[in-house]
Amino acid sequence: MVDLTLEIRKTAKELLEKGEAKVVLGWEKGNFPYSTTPVFIDKPEDTERLIWDEYCINNLALYMLDYKHLDGKVGIFVKGCDSRGINRLVQDKQLDREKVILIGLSCPGMKDEKKAKELGPNADIPMAQKCQDCRYPDPVVYDVFLGEKQNKKVPEKIDTSDVEEMETKSPDEKYRFFTTNYEKCLRCYACRNVCPACNCKECIFDQTATGWLAKANNVSNNMFFALTRAMHVGGRCIECGECERVCSVNIPIMLLNKKIIKDINFLFGDYDAGLETEERLPLGGYDYTDPEEFM
Amino acid sequence: MKYAYFPGCSLSSTGIEYDLSTRETARVLGIDLWEIPEWNCCGASSGHLTDHLLSLALPARNMAIAEEAGLDVAIPCAACYARSKNTELAVCNSAEMRQEIEEVIERKYEGKAKARALLDIIANDIQAEVIKEKVHKELKGIKAACYYGCLLVRPLAVGFDDPEDPQSMDNLVKSLGGETVDWAYKTECCGASCPTTVPETGKKMLERIFESAKNAGANCLVTACPMCLNNLDMRQGQVEKTYSKKYDMPVFYFTELTGLAFGVEPTKLGLNKHFVDAMGLVNEVLKADGRRETA
Amino acid sequence: MKRVGVFICHCGTNIGGVVDCPKVAEIAKDYPGVVYSVDNKYMCSEPGQELIKKAIKEQNLDRVVVASCSPRMHEPTFRRCVENAGMNAYFMEMANIREHCSWVHASEKDKATEKACDLVKMAVAKAIMNKPLQKATIPVTDRALVIGGGIAGIQAALDLANAGHVVDIVEKEPSIGGKMAQIDKTFPTLDCSACILTPKMVDASSHPNINLITYSEVEKVEGFVGNFDVTIRKKARSVDMSVCTGCGVCMSKCPSKVDSEFEMLLSKRKAIYTPFPQAIPNKPVIDRDNCTYFKTGKCGICQKVCTLGAIDYTQEDEFVVTRYGAIVISTGFEQFDHSVYGEYGYGKYPDVITGMHFERLINASGPTMGKIKRPSDGKVPKNVVFIKCVGSRDVAKGKSYCSKTCCMYTAKHATLVTEKIEDSNVYIFYMDVRTGGKGYEEFYNRTREKYDAQYIRGRVSKVFKQGDKLIVRGEDTLLSQAVEIEADMVVLATAMVPQADASKLAQKIGIGYDKDHFFTEAHPKLAPVETHTQGVYLAGACQGPKDIPESVAQASAAAAKACGLLSKSEMLTEPIISVVNESICVGCGLCVPICPYKAIDLKTISERDHGKTIERLVADVNGGLCQGCGACTVACRSGALDLKHFTDQQILAEVNALCL
Amino acid sequence: MSVNEVQQNKEVEQNWEPKILVFACTWCTYAGADLTGLSRLQYPPNIRILKVPCSGRVNPQFVIKAFQKGVDGVLVAGCHPGDCHYTSGNYFTRRRFLLMRRLMEYIGMEPQRFQNRWISAAEAPKFQQVITEMTEEIRTLGPNRKLRDDQW
């Protein structure tokens, strides 16, 4: 893995010193060798804390929501998936493209931190599943680019083998699989809080007076939460897999999101979220020639 | 091209010439006819007058044997074709009827083996060029009134040609070099059993057919149904006596004409077995300058 | 908690015969919020409504639930009723326990009663969540559009124009007049069709308030009642209407001849033509498909001979967008394509023709100058056979309905044949003779007795040629014997069907149509000329088979309805529209492209946020444009957009009530 | 909260009757249901019709909420594409519910329990047929336990 840490620090320092950016957003080492945490640097001397290693897996895009009304620019380091997250926020009018300086980094694929925790520091840690399937290692949008682009040979279509495998199961088996998983859900909403597609001002799950989602933490309401969020991010999910990564009870959330992506591709034509910011979202429009199954 | 062959009772008795000419025509055209072993009577009109299930089960057994051999069934006689087609449609359209029938005939019949009228196969499946190319002796002098009768093209689900103005037999005769006339009684009933049971009505119906064919300038009638041929051929003399008219119109099976045109020896086709002497017209055709001598 | 009054209607025995209304009223008492529950024989009657008003006052009710028939029928009635008692009209909710319950579960009384209770429970739950709504006002443009320039369109336009409103008539053909212009005489008075039509056409063309837009079609219709923005495609006529005086020199000189559609292809017209002599506007049109100039680039004679230089080959289709307050649709009918009836030999035998062909043959300005001649050899026919119900009343191959007018115009044809051809014989095969208008039965009797037309009750099985005669074989069911007639000419009375593109036009305007593509009226008995789309009215055969008197009556009715709308410069609109909760809206803008009426756009608002004044985008719904479909509310993930009277919470309340 | 009993008890409780919620758009399906009544075409009394202005108003979340509340089947019915009174409402319905049906089937909900059909105001016989068929299908499936919120 090319060591760009020095370059990152230099670039961040320049931005802050020249005052081009009020704050720079990157990664710094966490308490364990396999963990990194996002860091907000607003003083040039603190740029030393920035690092670039195989564990910079966090998607930084969503933190931009906190800076919506900052009068000044924000520098942010973006991998492939992060850049798609930025496009999503711009498309949803939650981020003004001019107020952010994107520093692109080609991503070699990050390690699986959970496996690292299990196998201990010196074992051979496998790459995270989502990075193995990654189709956009190079950022799709950036202002500055550090290092070279890999132009790696990437799979043409999203891998939905796990979804297809699940589809073959009987209704009761599928139901048991999802309810046993979502029975564990604590409704901590970490998955929602990290997701670049979930950028509402006040999420319906927080508006308890509406009667949509009851407070009770049982399977039925957890499933309501899971299915509703899956439909809400339908056509918006950039397959960054952060929801699954941050889930404290390891629920395979991407199985739901990938199912919807697979169906959107099948029903309305291939669509990758976050590649541009002008086109209409799949669920934001319709086509006369959509498949007809309700006659 | 291989078909299961269902001759039916008429073709083994009064309509023997239809069977002879069919086998000869098939031989020339390279159609392999595999006679259904121990085929049973299709029940014809007496079948469906007594009991609906009986009328469906009788042909079903023949169709089941054909289906086991994986063959569609070529059926010369219009009545047998109509009964078999009804069975096939009944089986395809309703699962309970199929189950009832299978119980009676103690065999499986899913409706995959299709009932095909022999005229449909020869006139429509086989291209006109193939027929023309096989013609050894053009039917010069034949001015045929093609008579389809009431069963072959009706009802719409069973018929394979336009119920009001069928053309398949006309086209076939034309490709054999003969001429056909446009007349109004193509699909009017020949009286079926009336000429025997209610002679004054039956004879009136026959007289109208002969009259119309005569007016249209035809010198012979061509049909694809043994019952029609019987009435038109056997009773022509009685009708002439009753209405003191002179028609002297030979009645052929269309397979006799194909056989003749393909150069098969007339007696092998049974052309000498007609009540109204057909040999006169046949010899006229043979004498006329044929197109080319082939083996 | 809101005080809810429940009123269960027996509707005579319609509901009471199946649903145990007193029991439902009893059970409804312990639904949450219900303080008063009673059943009554006829809720919608005067005493019934008095009962509601009295209860509102005495029990000081906040909400009213009426369990009776379909809200599509009496919602306005009960809304007015509660309004008169001082309650907001939208606090009234209905439960449909007739069409959706008693009428469809007649044999399962207790299950129907149980279902009625559930439906009442749902209505109560929703009523409790209902909010007070006031109708808003929107502007009404004082201009009407009439689509279709037949007798119905002309009559509607004249009535509207005489009431002082500006009217545009859009007509697909080069001239107005429609089917009536092709007809010779009209029943039952046998007065000449053109004589009663052309004066009206002239009135329409000379009326200051009426603009004729002929040889044009409606391309697109946007907007809504009072504000229809209609795009009209004015097809290129290749003739400058302002210059042309209609002298007709170009028509006489034009070399290429074409079968005239107006004359039912029985005679020819030129490539540059007016459909018929009395055409209005009496200015020709170039049929570009058959004009040699447009096909090969040669010719151009019409341009040379035109002294005024009115011919302009370079004309293009022109699109005009105008705003209208009301639309009257009078697109009329077409003849049923009866080629499915091979047995009648139509198309094979030239002497088998339809009623409209016959009209052109007997018409003085027709191809045979009014003499009835056989299209095949021009001879005058002696035996003429008429076959009725060709396509009508035939579920198997044709239309299931009766076309209403054929009995009368066939009787008229029979009379005219007997009048025009001495010692001619007329045979009419019929199933029934339907003479439902004024003077119709007497006309039919005269045809039979004075003009001794032979009415044979039975169907025709086959028509075939023998020599130069046509043998018509049928059955006389009264004598129960087969019948054979040697005819010289056979006339088929074909069914009336709507225009081929009727369903497309309906979709453009947003109105319903039935399985035969006739436009659907708001209510078959109580609102025959209105449609479910406010501001769109129907007149004439486009709504269903009818004859001239009925079409004219409907035209005036539609005009009256439109006048009612156009007489006011403003009108009240349904307050069921979307509304944005700006505190929740994040301004993502996904709802904007959803709205078919473009009623939503984003606006910037400024607000205090942590001590700073910031500006941000929020969605903004234009109440005038929004028609209340609610598609945007589902697209809004955070639920900032909600549809009044069908809010998320109201619907959720109904769902919850159904199951607890 | 222990894992609540998810295995469906196949033997049907004796007096269980399927309860089906139908979202019907006012202009077409609701009017079609009215016409079914007008023509006295009988059908099983298991459905409860909830009127919405347009099928485009039906939020997939209502469907999940209905199953939570113990409904045995949900039908979302509206105008045929092209006939919508609001021109495009049902096109959105089609997109949303093409996805939603597959998602519900994916998490184990039997497809017959959640159906979508276009039924116009003139198609009374079709309304009767769809309701009768759906009721029978759900009767054979038995009561719905899935997604059910057993708190109440």
Side-chain angles (χ1 to χ4, degrees), chain C residues 76 92 112 148 225 244 272 280 332 338 415 518 602 608 611:
Chain C
M92 188 285 300
V225 58
C244 169
I272 180 165
I280 287 181
H338 52 286
T415 317
F518 284 115
L602 293 173
R608 295 292 294 171

PDB file of all heavy atoms in Angstrom, chain C residues 76 92 112 148 225 244 272 280 332 338 415 518 602 608 611:
ATOM      1  N   PRO C  76     -71.219  14.906  -0.947  1.00  0.00           N
ATOM      2  CA  PRO C  76     -71.582  16.334  -0.955  1.00  0.00           C
ATOM      3  C   PRO C  76     -72.850  16.611  -0.141  1.00  0.00           C
ATOM      4  O   PRO C  76     -72.924  17.588   0.609  1.00  0.00           O
ATOM      5  CB  PRO C  76     -71.817  16.638  -2.448  1.00  0.00           C
ATOM      6  CG  PRO C  76     -71.164  15.522  -3.198  1.00  0.00           C
ATOM      7  CD  PRO C  76     -71.152  14.336  -2.294  1.00  0.00           C
ATOM      8  N   MET C  92     -67.038  15.332   8.553  1.00  0.00           N
ATOM      9  CA  MET C  92     -68.006  14.256   8.267  1.00  0.00           C
ATOM     10  C   MET C  92     -67.279  13.156   7.494  1.00  0.00           C
ATOM     11  O   MET C  92     -66.572  13.420   6.513  1.00  0.00           O
ATOM     12  CB  MET C  92     -69.157  14.816   7.420  1.00  0.00           C
ATOM     13  CG  MET C  92     -70.335  13.863   7.218  1.00  0.00           C
ATOM     14  SD  MET C  92     -70.056  12.506   6.054  1.00  0.00           S
ATOM     15  CE  MET C  92     -69.698  13.413   4.569  1.00  0.00           C
ATOM     16  N   ALA C 112     -71.937  -9.782   6.988  1.00  0.00           N
ATOM     17  CA  ALA C 112     -72.068  -8.423   6.421  1.00  0.00           C
ATOM     18  C   ALA C 112     -72.212  -7.418   7.568  1.00  0.00           C
ATOM     19  O   ALA C 112     -71.635  -6.325   7.550  1.00  0.00           O
ATOM     20  CB  ALA C 112     -73.290  -8.373   5.510  1.00  0.00           C
ATOM     21  N   GLY C 148     -64.420  18.853 -31.334  1.00  0.00           N
ATOM     22  CA  GLY C 148     -65.363  18.121 -32.210  1.00  0.00           C
ATOM     23  C   GLY C 148     -66.417  19.094 -32.739  1.00  0.00           C
ATOM     24  O   GLY C 148     -67.174  19.667 -31.945  1.00  0.00           O
ATOM     25  N   VAL C 225     -59.340  22.466 -13.794  1.00  0.00           N
ATOM     26  CA  VAL C 225     -60.585  23.236 -14.016  1.00  0.00           C
ATOM     27  C   VAL C 225     -60.308  24.733 -13.909  1.00  0.00           C
ATOM     28  O   VAL C 225     -59.596  25.199 -13.019  1.00  0.00           O
ATOM     29  CB  VAL C 225     -61.659  22.796 -12.999  1.00  0.00           C
ATOM     30  CG1 VAL C 225     -61.176  22.995 -11.582  1.00  0.00           C
ATOM     31  CG2 VAL C 225     -62.944  23.544 -13.237  1.00  0.00           C
ATOM     32  N   CYS C 244     -57.314  33.222 -49.119  1.00  0.00           N
ATOM     33  CA  CYS C 244     -58.191  32.415 -49.995  1.00  0.00           C
ATOM     34  C   CYS C 244     -59.652  32.865 -49.869  1.00  0.00           C
ATOM     35  O   CYS C 244     -60.141  33.150 -48.767  1.00  0.00           O
ATOM     36  CB  CYS C 244     -58.093  30.940 -49.580  1.00  0.00           C
ATOM     37  SG  CYS C 244     -59.343  29.904 -50.347  1.00  0.00           S
ATOM     38  N   ILE C 272     -56.445  18.677 -53.691  1.00  0.00           N
ATOM     39  CA  ILE C 272     -56.780  19.911 -52.949  1.00  0.00           C
ATOM     40  C   ILE C 272     -58.311  19.959 -52.958  1.00  0.00           C
ATOM     41  O   ILE C 272     -58.947  19.884 -54.017  1.00  0.00           O
ATOM     42  CB  ILE C 272     -56.141  21.155 -53.595  1.00  0.00           C
ATOM     43  CG1 ILE C 272     -56.524  22.413 -52.796  1.00  0.00           C
ATOM     44  CG2 ILE C 272     -56.518  21.339 -55.065  1.00  0.00           C
ATOM     45  CD1 ILE C 272     -55.655  23.621 -53.145  1.00  0.00           C
ATOM     46  N   ILE C 280     -67.789  24.465 -44.288  1.00  0.00           N
ATOM     47  CA  ILE C 280     -67.454  25.729 -43.595  1.00  0.00           C
ATOM     48  C   ILE C 280     -66.267  25.431 -42.693  1.00  0.00           C
ATOM     49  O   ILE C 280     -66.324  24.491 -41.894  1.00  0.00           O
ATOM     50  CB  ILE C 280     -68.651  26.216 -42.737  1.00  0.00           C
ATOM     51  CG1 ILE C 280     -69.734  26.754 -43.673  1.00  0.00           C
ATOM     52  CG2 ILE C 280     -68.205  27.319 -41.774  1.00  0.00           C
ATOM     53  CD1 ILE C 280     -70.964  27.289 -42.968  1.00  0.00           C
ATOM     54  N   GLY C 332     -68.138  12.702 -31.147  1.00  0.00           N
ATOM     55  CA  GLY C 332     -69.045  11.925 -32.001  1.00  0.00           C
ATOM     56  C   GLY C 332     -68.669  10.455 -32.109  1.00  0.00           C
ATOM     57  O   GLY C 332     -68.020   9.902 -31.231  1.00  0.00           O
ATOM     58  N   HIS C 338     -67.171  -3.745 -39.530  1.00  0.00           N
ATOM     59  CA  HIS C 338     -67.892  -5.029 -39.522  1.00  0.00           C
ATOM     60  C   HIS C 338     -67.234  -6.065 -40.416  1.00  0.00           C
ATOM     61  O   HIS C 338     -67.863  -7.019 -40.845  1.00  0.00           O
ATOM     62  CB  HIS C 338     -69.336  -4.782 -39.987  1.00  0.00           C
ATOM     63  CG  HIS C 338     -69.360  -4.042 -41.283  1.00  0.00           C
ATOM     64  ND1 HIS C 338     -69.050  -2.689 -41.347  1.00  0.00           N
ATOM     65  CD2 HIS C 338     -69.547  -4.442 -42.534  1.00  0.00           C
ATOM     66  CE1 HIS C 338     -69.092  -2.292 -42.600  1.00  0.00           C
ATOM     67  NE2 HIS C 338     -69.369  -3.324 -43.344  1.00  0.00           N
ATOM     68  N   THR C 415     -88.348   3.710 -46.318  1.00  0.00           N
ATOM     69  CA  THR C 415     -89.323   4.668 -46.874  1.00  0.00           C
ATOM     70  C   THR C 415     -88.767   5.305 -48.140  1.00  0.00           C
ATOM     71  O   THR C 415     -89.424   5.365 -49.176  1.00  0.00           O
ATOM     72  CB  THR C 415     -89.578   5.770 -45.823  1.00  0.00           C
ATOM     73  OG1 THR C 415     -89.714   5.147 -44.551  1.00  0.00           O
ATOM     74  CG2 THR C 415     -90.788   6.581 -46.166  1.00  0.00           C
ATOM     75  N   PHE C 518     -66.351   4.473 -24.931  1.00  0.00           N
ATOM     76  CA  PHE C 518     -67.211   5.665 -24.803  1.00  0.00           C
ATOM     77  C   PHE C 518     -66.772   6.382 -23.526  1.00  0.00           C
ATOM     78  O   PHE C 518     -66.401   5.723 -22.540  1.00  0.00           O
ATOM     79  CB  PHE C 518     -68.693   5.268 -24.686  1.00  0.00           C
ATOM     80  CG  PHE C 518     -69.320   4.850 -26.000  1.00  0.00           C
ATOM     81  CD1 PHE C 518     -69.759   3.556 -26.208  1.00  0.00           C
ATOM     82  CD2 PHE C 518     -69.458   5.777 -27.047  1.00  0.00           C
ATOM     83  CE1 PHE C 518     -70.328   3.174 -27.421  1.00  0.00           C
ATOM     84  CE2 PHE C 518     -70.025   5.396 -28.265  1.00  0.00           C
ATOM     85  CZ  PHE C 518     -70.461   4.091 -28.454  1.00  0.00           C
ATOM     86  N   LEU C 602     -39.001  24.483  -4.943  1.00  0.00           N
ATOM     87  CA  LEU C 602     -38.236  24.745  -3.716  1.00  0.00           C
ATOM     88  C   LEU C 602     -38.122  26.251  -3.527  1.00  0.00           C
ATOM     89  O   LEU C 602     -37.960  27.002  -4.492  1.00  0.00           O
ATOM     90  CB  LEU C 602     -36.830  24.120  -3.837  1.00  0.00           C
ATOM     91  CG  LEU C 602     -36.845  22.581  -3.872  1.00  0.00           C
ATOM     92  CD1 LEU C 602     -35.446  22.051  -4.177  1.00  0.00           C
ATOM     93  CD2 LEU C 602     -37.321  22.034  -2.528  1.00  0.00           C
ATOM     94  N   ARG C 608     -33.558  31.185  12.298  1.00  0.00           N
ATOM     95  CA  ARG C 608     -32.489  31.247  13.314  1.00  0.00           C
ATOM     96  C   ARG C 608     -32.005  29.826  13.572  1.00  0.00           C
ATOM     97  O   ARG C 608     -32.819  28.911  13.698  1.00  0.00           O
ATOM     98  CB  ARG C 608     -33.059  31.832  14.624  1.00  0.00           C
ATOM     99  CG  ARG C 608     -33.512  33.249  14.524  1.00  0.00           C
ATOM    100  CD  ARG C 608     -32.370  34.213  14.308  1.00  0.00           C
ATOM    101  NE  ARG C 608     -31.472  34.249  15.476  1.00  0.00           N
ATOM    102  CZ  ARG C 608     -30.305  34.885  15.444  1.00  0.00           C
ATOM    103  NH1 ARG C 608     -29.892  35.455  14.324  1.00  0.00           N
ATOM    104  NH2 ARG C 608     -29.501  34.933  16.498  1.00  0.00           N
ATOM    105  N   GLY C 611     -28.230  30.614  16.962  1.00  0.00           N
ATOM    106  CA  GLY C 611     -27.720  31.982  17.072  1.00  0.00           C
ATOM    107  C   GLY C 611     -27.361  32.592  15.740  1.00  0.00           C
ATOM    108  O   GLY C 611     -26.959  33.756  15.692  1.00  0.00           O
TER     109      GLY C 611
END
